Short mmCIF file of all heavy atoms in Angstrom, two decimals:
data_model
loop_
_atom_site.label_atom_id
_atom_site.label_comp_id
_atom_site.label_asym_id
_atom_site.label_seq_id
_atom_site.Cartn_x
_atom_site.Cartn_y
_atom_site.Cartn_z
N GLU S 1112 21.46 -22.37 34.71
CA GLU S 1112 21.91 -21.13 35.33
C GLU S 1112 22.27 -21.40 36.68
O GLU S 1112 21.66 -22.06 37.48
CB GLU S 1112 20.78 -20.07 35.27
CG GLU S 1112 20.49 -19.64 33.91
CD GLU S 1112 19.42 -18.51 33.90
OE1 GLU S 1112 18.95 -18.12 35.07
OE2 GLU S 1112 19.06 -18.15 32.89
N ASP S 1113 23.43 -20.91 37.15
CA ASP S 1113 24.08 -21.27 38.46
C ASP S 1113 23.13 -20.70 39.57
O ASP S 1113 22.95 -21.42 40.66
CB ASP S 1113 25.42 -20.44 38.54
CG ASP S 1113 26.49 -21.23 37.86
OD1 ASP S 1113 26.14 -22.38 37.39
OD2 ASP S 1113 27.56 -20.58 37.67
N ALA S 1114 22.47 -19.59 39.41
CA ALA S 1114 21.67 -18.98 40.48
C ALA S 1114 20.44 -19.85 40.76
O ALA S 1114 20.12 -19.98 41.83
CB ALA S 1114 21.16 -17.55 39.86
N VAL S 1115 19.90 -20.51 39.77
CA VAL S 1115 18.81 -21.37 39.98
C VAL S 1115 19.33 -22.66 40.67
O VAL S 1115 18.57 -23.17 41.59
CB VAL S 1115 18.17 -21.81 38.60
CG1 VAL S 1115 17.02 -22.97 38.71
CG2 VAL S 1115 17.54 -20.53 37.96
N LEU S 1116 20.44 -23.21 40.24
CA LEU S 1116 20.99 -24.34 40.99
C LEU S 1116 21.26 -24.01 42.47
O LEU S 1116 21.18 -24.98 43.28
CB LEU S 1116 22.26 -24.91 40.20
CG LEU S 1116 22.02 -25.42 38.78
CD1 LEU S 1116 23.15 -25.69 38.11
CD2 LEU S 1116 21.09 -26.59 38.80
N ILE S 1117 21.75 -22.84 42.73
CA ILE S 1117 22.11 -22.51 44.05
C ILE S 1117 20.88 -22.47 44.87
O ILE S 1117 20.81 -22.80 46.04
CB ILE S 1117 22.88 -21.02 43.99
CG1 ILE S 1117 24.32 -21.30 43.54
CG2 ILE S 1117 22.87 -20.52 45.57
CD1 ILE S 1117 24.89 -19.98 43.24
N GLN S 1118 19.74 -22.04 44.23
CA GLN S 1118 18.39 -21.98 44.90
C GLN S 1118 18.07 -23.34 45.30
O GLN S 1118 17.42 -23.68 46.41
CB GLN S 1118 17.30 -21.33 43.98
CG GLN S 1118 17.00 -19.91 44.11
CD GLN S 1118 15.90 -19.47 43.46
OE1 GLN S 1118 15.86 -19.46 42.14
NE2 GLN S 1118 14.86 -19.09 44.28
N ALA S 1119 18.39 -24.40 44.50
CA ALA S 1119 18.05 -25.82 44.77
C ALA S 1119 19.00 -26.38 45.67
O ALA S 1119 18.98 -27.59 45.93
CB ALA S 1119 18.02 -26.57 43.52
N ASN S 1120 20.11 -25.68 46.14
CA ASN S 1120 21.14 -26.13 47.12
C ASN S 1120 21.88 -27.35 46.44
O ASN S 1120 21.91 -28.46 47.10
CB ASN S 1120 20.52 -26.51 48.42
CG ASN S 1120 21.62 -26.55 49.47
OD1 ASN S 1120 22.79 -25.97 49.35
ND2 ASN S 1120 21.33 -27.10 50.66
N ILE S 1121 22.21 -27.18 45.19
CA ILE S 1121 22.85 -28.33 44.44
C ILE S 1121 24.09 -28.91 45.17
O ILE S 1121 24.37 -30.03 44.92
CB ILE S 1121 23.12 -27.84 43.00
CG1 ILE S 1121 23.31 -29.09 42.09
CG2 ILE S 1121 24.37 -26.92 42.91
CD1 ILE S 1121 22.09 -29.85 41.93
N LYS S 1122 24.87 -28.02 45.88
CA LYS S 1122 26.02 -28.40 46.48
C LYS S 1122 25.77 -29.51 47.58
O LYS S 1122 26.71 -30.34 47.81
CB LYS S 1122 26.63 -27.30 47.04
CG LYS S 1122 27.33 -26.28 46.13
CD LYS S 1122 28.17 -25.22 46.80
CE LYS S 1122 28.72 -24.31 45.84
NZ LYS S 1122 29.63 -24.84 44.81
N ALA S 1123 24.61 -29.66 48.07
CA ALA S 1123 24.32 -30.58 49.06
C ALA S 1123 23.37 -31.74 48.63
O ALA S 1123 22.93 -32.56 49.41
CB ALA S 1123 23.63 -29.84 50.28
N ALA S 1124 23.12 -31.69 47.21
CA ALA S 1124 22.30 -32.74 46.79
C ALA S 1124 22.92 -34.04 46.72
O ALA S 1124 24.11 -34.21 46.51
CB ALA S 1124 21.84 -32.32 45.32
N GLU S 1125 22.12 -35.17 46.76
CA GLU S 1125 22.68 -36.43 46.74
C GLU S 1125 22.68 -36.98 45.29
O GLU S 1125 23.55 -37.86 44.91
CB GLU S 1125 21.83 -37.39 47.66
CG GLU S 1125 22.41 -38.75 47.86
CD GLU S 1125 21.61 -39.54 48.92
OE1 GLU S 1125 21.58 -39.01 50.11
OE2 GLU S 1125 21.18 -40.57 48.67
N ALA S 1126 21.72 -36.66 44.52
CA ALA S 1126 21.58 -37.19 43.21
C ALA S 1126 20.76 -36.20 42.37
O ALA S 1126 19.96 -35.40 42.85
CB ALA S 1126 20.90 -38.53 43.11
#
Side-chain angles (χ1 to χ4, degrees):
E1112 296 180 359
D1113 287 348
V1115 175
L1116 294 175
I1117 291 171
Q1118 270 191 288
N1120 199 14
I1121 196 69
K1122 290 184 181 297
E1125 189 170 304

